[in-house]
């Protein structure tokens, strides 16, 4: 029988206060596991931030719009590999363990990043250049397909019952730290080098920095301890068993995918697409756009744990419903107000408001999804739902937004795309709630 997503309970069991040593150990575990997640998002973000330079280096077509679209589609192509990574690597983590699997994903991400950092340009090696870039993105996508799920599941399993929302929210918070770091590096590089130097080699600097971080992150992540939840399981399912269980619970995966649409679309709108939108659509400087992106990351880094903790107190559903309603109602009007008189101040205000809506939703959603997937297939189930939403909707948000603006001439149309994502996720949440109430009646 298909399993529907249950309504999260609002009641929280009272737990004895944790000792100072236990708290230090918990935060150490959060830092260790989130460090690799930081690299995964850093590498993904810098590709989006430098889309214009990458398009000129690897996808010269004679048309600036066509080159940018090819680059953004390559950015999105990495997301097409996420469902594959979710199934294959997710099953590996559920079978072999959280620690071993997360070390593997870090290695794959490192390989993809290195390929992008050192590949010669189209002018130097011809068609081999965009092919290598595409392969590097696909390898990154394979790793990223399970990184978010693996980290979220790990944090959920080490968290005390009364703080699962707070713990799990640090998966997303670590991504925001990467957004800030990538934006600040980009701001420093773009203001220090001339446009010609940036195009020639300056855009590679953030990727090289990512490569330099890899050995240190390997050392950090090797200190991860396996979760007690995994160690206490006497049987670890094989790939065939995992696929059958996922098939029997396809309703959970489908509904989780639809609920993840909002968080993935909003995330890539306010982070990966902001530098391109600010410079190409609003004609603001690259520095201004990157500064706004850094501010968005800082705001989310603070808000996500706050919203995760709030969901521990009042329940997941109130936050999920409030955020989706606000996203549906406000996204397009905010964008229309921005494009009516583009300025740094308006871009900052709109992005921060959208970031608050995103953080409210994501802070509750990530832990919500970990709680409804069967424990023995939790990594692959979570990763598959999240990666499908990213591959179909979120990851292509920069390309879809660019295409919609080109087709309609409406510079605010990306706001309509965000609103549609919010409506879809709200519908999935409400329908799931009704199904669950009928089952428990």
């Amino acid at each position: 029988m298909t399993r529907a997503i249950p309504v999260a309970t609002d009641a929280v069991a009272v737990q004895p206060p944790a000792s100072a040593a236990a708290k230090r150990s918990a935060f150490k575990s959060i830092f260790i596991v989130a460090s690799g997640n930081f690299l995964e998002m850093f590498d993904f973000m810098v590709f989006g931030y430098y889309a214009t330079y990458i398009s000129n280096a690897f996808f010269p077509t004679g048309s600036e719009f066509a080159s940018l679209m090819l680059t953004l589609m390559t950015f999105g192509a990495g997301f097409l590999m996420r469902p594959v990574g979710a199934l294959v690597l997710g099953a590996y983590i559920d079978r072999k363990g959280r620690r071993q699997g997360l070390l593997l994903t870090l290695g794959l991400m490192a390989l993809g990043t290195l390929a992008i950092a050192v590949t010669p340009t189209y002018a130097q090696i011809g068609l081999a250049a965009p092919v290598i870039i595409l392969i590097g993105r696909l390898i990154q996508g394979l790793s990223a397909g399970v990184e978010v799920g693996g980290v979220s599941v790990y944090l959920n399993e080490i968290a005390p019952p009364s703080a699962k929302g707070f713990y799990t929210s640090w998966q997303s918070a670590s991504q925001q730290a990467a957004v800030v770091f990538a934006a600040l590096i980009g701001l420093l590089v773009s203001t220090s080098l001339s446009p010609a130097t940036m195009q020639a080699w300056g855009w590679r600097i953030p990727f090289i920095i990512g490569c330099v971080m890899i050995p240190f992150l390997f050392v950090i992540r090797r200190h991860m301890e396996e979760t007690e939840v995994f160690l206490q399981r006497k049987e670890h399912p094989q790939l065939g068993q995992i696929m059958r269980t996922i098939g029997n619970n396809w309703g959970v995966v489908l509904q989780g995918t639809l609920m993840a649409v909002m968080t993935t679309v909003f995330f890539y709108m306010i982070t990966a697409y902001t530098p391109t939108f600010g410079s190409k659509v609003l004609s603001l400087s690259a520095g201004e756009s990157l500064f706004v992106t850094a501010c968005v990351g800082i705001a989310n880094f603070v808000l996500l744990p706050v919203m995760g903790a709030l969901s521990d107190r009042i329940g997941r559903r109130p936050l999920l419903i409030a955020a989706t309603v606000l996203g549906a109602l406000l996204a397009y009007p905010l964008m229309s107000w921005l494009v009516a008189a583009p300025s740094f101040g308006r871009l900052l205000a709109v992005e921060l408001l959208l970031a608050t809506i995103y953080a409210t939703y994501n802070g509750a959603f990530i832990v919500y999804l970990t709680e409804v997937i069967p424990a023995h297939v939790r990594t692959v189930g979570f990763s598959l739902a999240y990666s499908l939403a990213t591959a179909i909707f979120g990851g292509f948000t920069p390309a879809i937004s660019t295409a919609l603006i080109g087709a309609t001439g409406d510079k605010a149309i990306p706001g309509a795309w965000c609103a549609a994502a919010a409506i879809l996720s709200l519908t999935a949440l409400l329908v799931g709630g009704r199904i669950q109430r009928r089952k428990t009646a």
Side-chain angles (χ1 to χ4, degrees), residues 95-117:
R95 188 171 70 255
K96 296 294 186 180
R98 317 310 190 201
R99 178 183 181 277
Q100 188 170 331
L102 288 174
L103 285 171
L104 175 61
T105 62
L106 182 59
L108 290 173
M109 181 59 66
L111 182 61
T113 301
L114 182 62
I116 296 172

Side-chain angles (χ1 to χ4, degrees), residues 7 13 46 49-50 57 77 84 98 210 224 235 258 266 286 294 309 323 344 351 365 388 414 423:
V7 178
V46 294
Y49 293 167
Y50 293 98
V84 178
R98 317 310 190 201
M224 285 175 56
E235 295 183 3
L258 296 178
F266 269 67
F344 167 76
E351 294 291 326
F365 170 71
L388 284 172
I423 292 171

Side-chain angles (χ1 to χ4, degrees), residues 234-272:
K234 297 180 179 180
E235 295 183 3
H236 302 293
Q238 299 300 311
L239 179 60
Q241 295 173 288
I242 291 174
M243 295 301 102
R244 285 192 295 273
T245 302
I246 291 297
N248 292 334
N249 290 273
W250 65 268
V252 176
V253 175
L254 176 60
Q255 192 176 347
T257 298
L258 296 178
M259 288 182 61
V261 169
M262 176 172 169
T263 198
T264 58
V265 167
F266 269 67
F267 176 78
Y268 287 101
M269 179 66 71
I270 63 178
T271 56

Side-chain angles (χ1 to χ4, degrees), residues 15-94:
Q15 300 294 320
S19 66
K23 290 181 178 179
R24 287 194 297 270
S25 176
F27 278 101
K28 178 182 177 181
S29 297
I30 291 173
F31 173 77
I32 289 173
V33 72
S35 61
N37 204 42
F38 171 93
L39 177 65
E40 179 255 329
M41 188 49 58
F42 175 82
D43 292 335
F44 258 65
M45 286 299 101
V46 294
F47 194 99
Y49 293 167
Y50 293 98
T52 302
Y53 295 110
I54 293 172
S55 67
N56 293 330
F58 299 109
F59 301 96
T61 64
S63 167
E64 183 177 358
F65 175 79
S67 295
L68 181 58
M69 280 301 298
L70 283 172
T71 304
L72 293 177
M73 291 301 288
T74 302
F75 177 78
F79 297 100
L80 295 179
M81 286 298 289
R82 286 195 172 208
V84 178
L87 285 172
V88 177
L89 297 179
Y92 178 85
I93 292 176
D94 281 328

